[in-house]
Structure formats: C-alpha cells, structure tokens
Amino acid sequence: MKSSFVKLSKSTLAIAVAASGIALSGQGFAEEAASLSDAVKNGTVDLNFRYRYENVDDDSRAEEADASTLRSRLTYTTQAYKHWQAQVEVDDITIIGGENYDDFHNDKTDHAVVADYEGTEVNQ
C-alpha cells in the first residue's frame, strides 16, 4: 500500500504554517491608511510616567543629594501609510519636592551630583 502524503520542502511547510496561523488568528498585517491625512488622524497617543528617587552621599561634597523627579513621556505614532510611519516622543523631567542636589545647572555645588535636571525635550 502506497502512502498518500505529499512531501513538502521545509520552506513550503514554513509558509503554510505561517499562513494558517495568520488565517486562524483572524488578523492579517496592520491595515494601512487610505491617505496621508487619515494616517495622521488615526494615529495613537501614549502617555507614560516614571517616578524616580535617588540619594547620593559623595565624600567630596559637603551635602548629600536627595533627588525626587518625575519623567513624563508623550509619544504619538501615525497609522501606516504606504509602508511608512512617523513617531515623535517628548520627555519632560519635573522636580518633585525640593531641589536638594547638584544637577550641573542649578549652582548647588555643595551638594552631591544627580544629573536629572528639569526640562522638556524631543527624545526621538
């Protein structure tokens, strides 16, 4: 009795498995916007906060440092359009509580250094 199985190459088998996985998941590739203006309108916004506390005791400085800061990050990503996307990310560092450290910008040279200075910048 002969076998009725078809012999497939490894690459053909890999493509078949990947295609069935996509079909079974109900999702294909991400849908692209119909126009550039739609890509901008249908973009996504992400907001992220990270609190940080740092204590530094440096023997070469008279005062130890206590830094309490909050990093806020705003990210906007457009929807894909013709296989392209754009993203902009803005970070803001805010001092929470007192400024009891030298950040190289605040003239508190008697305190230990924590290089988290207050400000806002485009990250990427």
Side-chain angles (χ1 to χ4, degrees):
M1 176 175 228
K2 287 187 175 182
S3 173
S4 61
F5 291 108
V6 176
K7 187 174 181 180
L8 299 174
S9 70
K10 288 181 183 179
S11 60
T12 305
L13 183 59
I15 292 170
V17 169
S20 63
I22 292 171
L24 291 174
S25 71
Q27 296 178 349
F29 295 98
E31 187 177 322
E32 291 202 350
S35 68
L36 183 57
S37 64
D38 285 344
V40 173
K41 288 179 199 173
N42 297 324
T44 59
V45 175
D46 184 42
L47 190 55
N48 178 279
F49 298 96
R50 183 188 72 195
Y51 173 77
R52 179 177 136 149
Y53 173 78
E54 185 173 351
N55 174 270
V56 178
D57 188 5
D58 183 350
D59 292 337
S60 67
R61 302 283 181 114
E63 298 288 329
E64 67 181 42
D66 289 300
S68 179
T69 58
L70 178 68
R71 189 217 55 210
S72 305
R73 176 172 285 167
L74 175 67
T75 306
Y76 172 76
T77 307
T78 67
Q79 185 180 14
Y81 175 67
K82 295 188 178 185
H83 306 292
W84 288 88
Q85 273 185 304
Q87 182 179 67
V88 64
E89 191 170 80
V90 178
D91 286 345
D92 177 72
I93 305 294
T94 303
I95 297 168
I96 307 291
E99 192 174 1
N100 300 319
Y101 60 95
D102 181 7
D103 67 5
F104 297 123
H105 293 90
N106 62 4
D107 298 323
K108 292 194 177 244
T109 56
D110 60 330
H111 285 76
V113 174
V114 177
D116 280 351
Y117 57 91
E118 195 167 40
T120 302
E121 66 183 13
V122 174
N123 184 25
Q124 62 175 334

